[in-house]
Amino acid sequence: METAFLHTPLGIAKIEGDTHGISSISILDEAPERSSDIPEELEDAVYQLKEYFEGSRQEFDLELNPQGTEFQRKVWEALRTIPFGQQISYLDLSKRLGDVKAIRAVAAANGKNPIWIVIPCHRVLGSNGDLVGYAGGLHRKKWLLNHESPAKQVSLFPN
């Protein structure tokens, strides 16, 4: 398994994978002391994530290899169909998967998504539109949704 780190506006992205694909992208507050070399197997992922944060990429074209149960992988695949700049609710996602009663299981699988941003679990909201259930922190979810919004929110007050 190879590892690379990428500085992003939200922290350090830790990218893991091999010749079979990307198995994990997670967000860290600090990068461990590691080489800054990017393994060949991860170069495309690093490049595409940079483009995403620069605002020039809306879709990812990467070989993914997330590890999870059959149900989790089914949910993660459904997440990949949510278009850039759009959001759906957990209930809508459950409906897409064919079982409204599976909403809790769908939410749990969403929370175990191992591939940050590329599998866009940040695009799933509570039924009332609330920002809920984001492992990377709600401040990051809010930032990502704003980043993908066609109408960027601006603050009237400087930080």
Side-chain angles (χ1 to χ4, degrees):
M1 187 71 56
E2 301 289 344
T3 303
F5 295 94
L6 172 67
H7 290 269
T8 78
L10 297 174
I12 309 299
K14 179 181 179 183
I15 306 160
E16 296 178 298
D18 56 26
T19 56
H20 300 291
I22 303 301
S23 58
S24 173
I25 300 175
S26 56
I27 189 70
L28 310 171
D29 291 320
E30 296 179 20
E33 292 297 322
R34 303 285 295 252
S35 167
S36 62
D37 294 338
I38 300 171
E40 183 178 342
E41 297 88 347
L42 305 178
E43 286 176 349
D44 204 25
V46 169
Y47 179 76
Q48 289 187 35
L49 282 168
K50 282 182 182 178
E51 287 182 327
Y52 171 85
F53 282 107
E54 291 167 355
S56 61
R57 176 171 291 275
Q58 295 185 356
E59 293 182 23
F60 292 94
D61 181 24
L62 296 169
E63 186 69 33
L64 302 182
N65 188 23
Q67 301 303 304
T69 67
E70 183 179 335
F71 180 78
Q72 288 171 332
R73 290 192 309 271
K74 184 178 172 184
V75 171
W76 300 335
E77 199 56 42
L79 290 170
R80 294 186 72 195
T81 67
I82 306 169
F84 181 92
Q86 295 184 22
Q87 298 92 42
I88 66 171
S89 70
Y90 289 102
L91 180 60
D92 291 335
L93 185 56
S94 297
K95 288 177 184 176
R96 283 187 185 187
L97 291 164
D99 188 356
V100 162
K101 294 178 184 174
I103 189 168
R104 290 181 190 262
V106 166
N110 191 60
K112 292 191 183 301
N113 170 21
I115 303 180
W116 183 61
I117 296 179
V118 177
I119 298 177
C121 60
H122 61 278
R123 296 178 187 155
V124 183
L125 306 174
S127 294
N128 60 359
D130 285 350
L131 299 181
V132 296
Y134 194 63
L138 292 181
H139 67 288
R140 288 185 176 115
K141 183 172 188 167
K142 183 176 180 180
W143 189 97
L144 290 167
L145 293 174
N146 187 50
H147 177 68
E148 294 184 0
S149 173
K152 304 284 187 225
Q153 293 181 359
V154 293
S155 174
L156 296 176
F157 307 100
N159 292 335

